[in-house]
Amino acid sequence: MTNQSIDYSPPPQKEPTRRDFLLLTTGALGAAGAACFAWPFIDSMNPAADVLAQSSIDVDLSPIPAGQAITVVWRGKPIFVRHRTPEEIKAAEQAPLNELIDPETDQARVQKGHDQWLIVVGICTHLGCIPTGNKPTQNRGKYGGWACPCHGSLYDTSGRVRRGPAPLNLAIPPYAFVKPTLIRIGTKEVAHG
Amino acid sequence: MDSVTKIVRWIDYRLPIFSFMDHALREYPTPRNLNYWWNFGSLAGITLVLMILSGIFLAMHYDPNTHEAFNSVEYIMRNVNFGWFMRYMHANGATMFFIVVYIHMFRGLYYGSYKSPREVLWILGVIILLLMMATAFMGYVLPWGQMSYWGATVITNLFSVFPFGEGIVEWLWGGFSVDAPTLNRFFVLHYLLPFLIIGVVILHLVALHQHGSNNPLGIERKEPRDSIPFHPYYTVKDLFGLGVFSLVWAYFIFFNPDFFGEPDNYIPANPLVTPPHIVPEWYFLPFYAILRSIPNKLFGVIAMFSAVMILFFVPWLDRSKVRSAAFRPIYKWVFWGFVVDCFILGFVGAHSPDDVYANLGGLSNQFLGQVTTLIYFAFFLLALPLLGLYEKTRPLPTSLSTPVLQNMNKTPAMILFLLFSVGQLTSLNASDTPPLPHQEWSFLGPTGTFDRTDLQHGFQIYKQVCATCHGLEHVRFRDLAALGYNAEEIKAIAAEHRVEALNDTGDIIERPCLPTDKFPNPYKNEQAGRAANNGAMPPDLSLMVKARAGGANYIDALLTGYEATPPKDIELAEGMYYNLYFPGNQIAMPPPLTEGLVTYDDGSKPSINQMAHDVVTFLAWTAEPELEARKRLGYKVLIYFIVFTGLMYFLMKRIWARVE
């Protein structure tokens, strides 16, 4: 009889441990499920398949005379395509690196053999305004590149920031020369999202 | 006391949010004997939250503009990441929500949960139902398909029976027909009403917690041991219920997403053509049947509105002192009879009034609807008051903890009886087309995938045969990657087509298509299409397989169902062809497929049946490009919820062992 009564009452230590394990497993499973469930909704706010697929545009360079620039739209952003004069190239190459806010050589910002073509994303790296200077009639600032009208950042003829508050040089989009007078901006192929 | 506790105490002293939550979700004393029918309240709350969540993310992509609404829904389905998941979750969610809420209400009726002191609790529930109905109706309008448009027209016209009805209806429309202003305001209201529902749900919960839940015995709790804390007993039970419920919902999202939908709603809204059979969504069918069964516009509308409004008066119509049907031997059967009656009303609403039932002695659907409408109202106006006066109830137990009765649970038998009764109804409706022959399709069934060879062959037939007249406006060339083409092949296919564009001087030029372009339409506009085809516009094929009852089998039958010489008694109109399966048998499209029409890459010349099979497979893909990804994800989700439900079940058994 005594033995039986001991069998009936579960040991006080063992029982909670087993349920704790079940609770932990269930809790972990629930948390993982909730995280997986959240993902489709978060991902739905990312660029849709057709937006991703609009990844490349072709730009014909032949109509742009030296000293002038055009603006094309790639992924909803303005891209400055500038045909630089020899003086502008020289000024860009000779700028002392130690005076630069974001040191980078001019060679690193153009493609080899295509020194006259500077292609940059036309968005100020400070807070996203579009700098002036892409048209010859606009203010290009004292470094001859672009000048941001919002907070006065100045860029040189290599698109490098020379006066703040912008912290970085104008970004270079991915592009390649298809022909000497034709570039393709955005080379990533997305066949199907 | 650690710092978290300190912060919680500090806040709680000023804003008692934590003690409120602790009271409402943890210590809240709950009757110990609630059965599974009590799960549906929490399920309704969870469904509401999930509907709002999926709805908000869908609204980020939806465009409430009559020109773009339909296209934006297809854009969500095809381009937005997981867009098909969100849309199918939301569309099937409406169905799930009504299933749960209807069961919740039937439970209330069975156990007398509306009786004193819970009358206001019940009334708040009926208000939630009304708001849900309005929200569901306006939500169904948003995809702007044929059913959306004509549903909106019919339902808004209900208001024309009231005094100044014409004015009210034009005010609802914001015009002289359902149009852009209607769609825009329905979108705004469809977004707004769920938040009002949340408000009423909060009041519903406050009223619930005032006197606590009713229970299957229908007697008040008397001693402390009648109650158990909500957590963990009912939290774990509700989570187990959620697991089972999620399995059902996930099945429909991933494996049968259009089960509750109407094919006609995949046809863009056309204000000049009403679909031949317009039916509301299933959850409105009983009310729709009541509307139709009364052959008078005013009284039909009054009866339909009364059918919902009468629910407000249930607490006073029922004169019985005993709450639970467990102690009401007659009411128990009357109740199940009422449930069956509601099912039959739904069945009647789904069928044409002209249908007849052979196995009911040639009973017409119209008459069946009138009888069941009468029974519906008799339940509320006769059975509820009279049973309270004349029914001899059984003695009530003295406490929840010492139930006197150990009677057999008849519920499963009742449900079987109910399904059997409704299943006995088979209607005969006169049809001018024979039943569709069934074909084998690679993409059907829970594991079906598209056969890549069939797809490529089908695409070839579309390109060489169908594309001269039929567009494919929701498909982009880059989508063809799913058929097994690589980037270069897609570029070449796209370049075979031309699309209008502007050049630098503003002139319209034609340029070759890019992989990112949609398939260009064969006609510049609808007028050009009609002019070239004897007045009949060849429909776009993107959604064709989803937009016709019978789906793939129907399209296949149509393509192969031409007969050169029509039966003698048929007079073909000019320029029409005889087709066995087309409604009315006269179709403007000439037989599109002939022997030897195309040659496949392997040199074979397919038969007409083979061509039809291939092009239908291709069109099934254009209609549901997400099909394979959907089923793949579906298996993962089902496995997850099977494990989740199993674990919850064991956890529940373990926790409840203490009570039992």
Side-chain angles (χ1 to χ4, degrees):
Chain A
M1 280 306 282
T2 343
N3 282 343
Q4 265 187 358
S5 68
I6 289 165
D7 282 346
Y8 275 136
S9 62
Q13 286 291 315
K14 206 175 174 186
E15 174 72 11
T17 326
R18 204 190 279 170
R19 210 179 76 209
D20 282 353
F21 174 72
L22 200 56
L23 264 175
L24 277 175
T25 318
T26 320
L29 189 79
C36 292
F37 181 69
W39 174 243
F41 296 100
I42 296 165
D43 193 31
S44 75
M45 291 173 70
N46 276 322
D50 66 320
V51 178
L52 285 176
Q54 304 278 2
S55 59
S56 70
I57 55 159
D58 290 352
V59 182
D60 182 9
L61 304 177
S62 53
I64 311 169
Q68 295 207 16
I70 60 164
T71 307
V72 295
V73 180
W74 173 70
R75 286 189 161 178
K77 294 175 184 174
I79 304 293
F80 294 159
V81 181
R82 182 147 165 181
H83 192 172
R84 299 191 293 181
T85 61
E87 299 79 56
E88 285 171 342
I89 299 170
K90 211 171 150 196
E93 283 173 347
Q94 287 174 349
L97 277 189
N98 55 7
E99 282 177 19
L100 298 181
I101 296 170
D102 178 14
E104 208 179 356
T105 62
D106 187 56
Q107 281 78 10
R109 298 178 56 80
V110 294
Q111 297 207 354
K112 210 168 181 181
H114 302 285
D115 284 355
Q116 70 274 44
W117 296 107
L118 177 70
I119 288 107
V120 290
V121 177
I123 294 178
C124 179
T125 57
H126 179 220
L127 291 170
C129 295
I130 297 177
T132 64
N134 220 32
K135 287 184 187 151
T137 50
Q138 290 174 337
N139 173 27
R140 285 182 164 173
K142 79 173 180 189
Y143 298 98
W146 291 272
C148 185
C150 291
H151 306 99
S153 298
L154 297 179
Y155 296 90
D156 66 12
T157 56
S158 191
R160 291 171 298 197
V161 62
R162 300 298 285 272
R163 192 180 85 188
L168 297 171
N169 303 335
L170 293 177
I172 310 282
Y175 70 95
F177 278 86
V178 181
K179 289 189 288 189
T181 57
L182 185 74
I183 56 166
R184 177 164 298 158
I185 304 176
T187 45
K188 199 174 141 205
E189 291 277 354
V190 181
H192 189 83
Chain B
M1 197 160 62
D2 61 68
S3 55
V4 176
T5 320
K6 260 186 203 156
I7 294 169
V8 165
R9 292 245 169 111
W10 187 90
I11 295 173
D12 202 63
Y13 183 66
R14 286 147 184 90
L15 173 74
I17 180 100
F18 294 103
S19 30
F20 170 78
M21 285 192 333
D22 188 63
H23 174 70
L25 294 171
R26 203 178 64 82
E27 68 171 34
Y28 172 57
T30 316
R32 57 186 290 166
N33 61 335
L34 299 186
N35 58 31
Y36 282 118
W37 297 109
W38 263 262
N39 273 52
F40 290 88
S42 77
L43 285 182
I46 293 168
T47 312
L48 175 65
V49 171
L50 293 180
M51 288 300 279
I52 290 179
L53 178 75
S54 53
I56 286 173
F57 281 87
L58 285 169
M60 293 180 189
H61 304 281
Y62 172 76
D63 186 354
N65 160 335
T66 48
H67 299 292
E68 284 305 317
F70 188 90
N71 292 341
S72 70
V73 171
E74 277 312 306
Y75 180 84
I76 290 170
M77 293 293 287
R78 289 156 196 267
N79 284 295
V80 173
N81 303 325
F82 291 103
W84 58 266
F85 168 70
M86 298 192 300
R87 167 152 184 266
Y88 280 149
M89 181 177 165
H90 200 71
N92 286 293
T95 277
M96 293 298 138
F97 203 2
F98 273 97
I99 291 177
V100 163
V101 163
Y102 282 154
I103 295 177
H104 186 63
M105 294 176 70
F106 277 125
R107 191 269 288 151
L109 273 179
Y110 187 84
Y111 293 110
S113 299
Y114 46 80
K115 286 182 195 177
S116 175
R118 298 187 181 84
E119 298 96 327
V120 173
L121 174 63
W122 170 266
I123 287 173
L124 289 166
V126 179
I127 292 173
I128 294 172
L129 175 72
L130 282 175
L131 287 170
M132 271 176 71
M133 286 175 149
T135 310
F137 157 64
M138 288 189 279
Y140 194 55
V141 175
L142 303 185
W144 209 240
Q146 273 289 67
M147 282 293 169
S148 302
Y149 183 88
W150 291 100
T153 301
V154 169
I155 300 294
T156 47
N157 265 314
L158 292 177
F159 292 90
S160 67
V161 301
F162 296 118
F164 312 106
E166 286 296 310
I168 296 172
V169 174
E170 282 170 13
W171 175 75
L172 287 173
W173 288 340
F176 300 104
S177 66
V178 173
D179 207 339
T182 328
L183 178 61
N184 214 331
R185 65 188 60 176
F186 277 19
F187 174 61
V188 170
L189 293 173
H190 180 72
Y191 203 112
L192 169 73
L193 290 189
F195 295 96
L196 295 188
I197 294 179
I198 286 204
V200 185
V201 165
I202 289 171
L203 295 179
H204 193 67
L205 287 177
V206 172
L208 172 72
H209 286 217
Q210 177 72 4
H211 291 284
S213 297
N214 183 31
N215 65 76
L217 295 177
I219 54 172
E220 291 298 331
R221 286 166 275 169
K222 294 195 182 73
E223 27 184 333
R225 67 193 183 111
D226 291 348
S227 296
I228 48 177
F230 190 80
H231 180 78
Y233 296 104
Y234 287 106
T235 39
V236 72
K237 197 173 179 182
D238 281 346
L239 282 171
F240 167 68
L242 176 66
V244 176
F245 175 67
S246 303
L247 277 171
V248 178
W249 195 351
Y251 163 75
F252 284 111
I253 293 173
F254 295 104
F255 297 99
N256 216 341
D258 287 307
F259 181 78
F260 296 102
E262 284 293 324
D264 277 299
N265 224 26
Y266 282 111
I267 305 171
N270 180 350
L272 300 178
V273 180
T274 308
H277 298 290
I278 87 161
V279 282
E281 291 286 81
W282 70 265
Y283 36 80
F284 294 137
L285 286 174
F287 304 104
Y288 185 62
I290 290 172
L291 168 77
R292 275 195 324 198
S293 66
I294 294 172
N296 171 294
K297 185 175 174 182
L298 176 63
F299 290 108
V301 174
I302 289 176
M304 192 192 71
F305 281 119
S306 312
V308 188
M309 293 303 168
I310 204 165
L311 294 170
F312 281 115
F313 302 98
V314 164
W316 295 278
L317 287 169
D318 187 350
R319 310 298 303 165
S320 177
K321 298 265 184 302
V322 175
R323 287 198 192 113
S324 172
F327 305 101
R328 301 182 62 188
I330 305 175
Y331 176 74
K332 183 187 278 182
W333 286 99
V334 169
F335 168 82
W336 284 107
F338 174 69
V339 175
V340 172
D341 187 68
C342 290
F343 270 81
I344 299 177
L345 272 173
F347 190 84
V348 168
H351 290 81
S352 155
D354 302 326
D355 288 5
V356 291
Y357 300 100
N359 54 359
L360 291 176
L363 189 74
S364 79
N365 196 34
Q366 176 77 3
F367 185 70
L368 185 63
Q370 285 164 348
V371 172
T372 42
T373 298
L374 211 61
I375 295 174
Y376 183 92
F377 285 105
F379 172 78
F380 292 105
L381 297 174
L382 291 175
L384 284 186
L386 292 181
L387 279 179
L389 297 178
Y390 297 109
E391 186 179 37
K392 201 170 172 325
T393 55
R394 295 164 52 188
L396 294 175
T398 48
S399 112
L400 295 194
S401 309
T402 55
V404 286
L405 81 169
Q406 280 296 322
N407 74 330
M408 202 181 71
N409 191 354
K410 294 202 189 72
T411 312
M414 301 272 196
I415 291 172
L416 282 180
F417 164 71
L418 181 152
L419 292 176
F420 180 75
S421 338
V422 182
Q424 282 303 297
L425 296 168
T426 39
S427 76
L428 302 170
N429 50 342
S431 169
D432 44 16
T433 55
L436 300 171
H438 274 265
Q439 307 275 341
E440 291 290 318
W441 301 107
S442 55
F443 49 86
L444 291 186
T447 54
T449 53
F450 293 110
D451 183 290
R452 291 296 183 277
T453 316
D454 290 0
L455 278 183
Q456 294 200 2
H457 286 166
F459 174 53
Q460 188 185 344
I461 292 175
Y462 168 76
K463 211 164 54 165
Q464 294 181 7
V465 184
C466 318
T468 36
C469 302
H470 293 279
L472 213 51
E473 67 174 338
H474 297 295
V475 183
R476 291 165 168 82
F477 287 103
R478 64 179 171 76
D479 295 335
L480 294 173
L483 269 58
Y485 295 112
N486 63 33
E488 288 308 311
E489 287 168 322
I490 289 170
K491 243 179 227 173
I493 293 168
E496 291 167 21
H497 297 75
R498 304 189 81 74
V499 68
E500 283 187 352
L502 286 178
N503 69 3
D504 289 346
T505 52
D507 301 311
I508 295 173
I509 54 157
E510 285 204 331
R511 65 160 174 82
C513 285
L514 297 171
T516 46
D517 288 321
K518 293 176 172 180
F519 275 77
N521 268 320
Y523 303 106
K524 284 209 159 75
N525 47 53
E526 186 169 340
Q527 282 82 345
R530 288 193 183 279
N533 290 284
N534 205 9
M537 177 68 192
D540 189 86
L541 295 184
S542 314
L543 285 161
M544 190 48 80
V545 169
K546 280 209 285 191
R548 294 291 181 275
N553 285 328
Y554 170 75
I555 310 293
D556 190 282
L558 183 92
L559 289 173
T560 55
Y562 283 89
E563 290 188 0
T565 45
K568 280 196 202 81
D569 53 328
I570 300 261
E571 184 96 4
L572 277 186
E574 172 139 5
M576 301 297 267
Y577 301 85
Y578 185 80
N579 190 303
L580 212 49
Y581 297 98
F582 192 71
N585 298 123
Q586 303 201 27
I587 186 169
M589 173 169 73
L593 303 174
T594 50
E595 296 288 346
L597 189 63
V598 294
T599 310
Y600 287 158
D601 285 344
D602 57 11
S604 64
K605 283 202 183 290
S607 66
I608 289 183
N609 284 340
Q610 184 62 43
M611 284 191 272
H613 180 87
D614 291 344
V615 78
V616 170
T617 304
F618 172 70
L619 292 179
W621 169 78
T622 63
E624 297 190 277
E626 88 294 346
L627 179 138
E628 291 176 359
R630 192 181 76 215
K631 290 177 187 174
R632 273 200 307 274
L633 184 56
Y635 278 108
K636 291 177 197 153
V637 172
L638 287 189
I639 290 169
Y640 173 83
F641 277 114
I642 288 169
V643 174
F644 177 88
T645 310
L647 265 178
M648 283 304 168
Y649 183 77
F650 286 118
L651 198 59
M652 179 176 73
K653 285 288 150 197
R654 200 160 273 270
I655 288 172
W656 275 80
R658 276 184 265 166
V659 177
E660 280 149 9

